[in-house]
Amino acid sequence: MNQVQQLLTTLKSFRKQKLIAAQLAWIKFRDTNCEFQRSRYEGGSIAFTIYFGCLENITKLRTQQLQELKIKVYAEVEIPEYWVVNLRKR
């Protein structure tokens, strides 16, 4: 959620609402997708491991997406290109 909060501080009002809606939809997708992954092992001892592993993996991917979005947003507010290149290295 930290990535979302950082983005919200840099976005214009109408884009903030879009990001919030996108994040809420993503959370619903994440939870439903991981429940689906877990359901293959319903009743087995590995089911929860599959579920939490899915949550971890999909959250890492979303974090990367948000970091890339943050770089693009910073570029929109005309940050010099050398700063953007340095942000990509993080």
Side-chain angles (χ1 to χ4, degrees), residues 3-84:
Q3 297 291 328
V4 173
Q5 291 171 343
Q6 289 176 9
L7 273 170
L8 287 173
T9 63
T10 62
L11 293 172
K12 295 180 180 175
S13 181
F14 75 97
R15 293 195 71 204
K16 287 180 183 182
Q17 295 306 315
K18 298 283 186 188
L19 178 60
I20 291 168
Q23 189 63 14
L24 291 173
W26 175 82
I27 291 168
K28 186 173 183 175
F29 164 78
R30 178 203 63 192
D31 293 347
T32 304
N33 183 59
C34 290
E35 282 291 332
F36 171 72
Q37 297 293 327
R38 184 190 63 81
S39 71
R40 180 175 181 192
Y41 304 95
E42 192 72 42
S45 60
I46 198 169
F48 288 107
T49 302
I50 296 297
Y51 178 75
F52 290 113
C54 176
L55 288 177
E56 179 183 12
N57 291 334
I58 203 165
T59 300
K60 284 180 182 178
L61 289 173
R62 180 62 176 167
T63 300
Q64 290 173 347
Q65 290 173 336
L66 291 169
Q67 288 171 342
E68 291 171 10
L69 181 59
K70 186 168 59 170
I71 290 169
K72 291 176 184 175
V73 167
Y74 286 157
E76 287 176 9
V77 292
E78 299 185 39
I79 290 180
E81 183 61 27
Y82 65 89
W83 287 7
V84 174

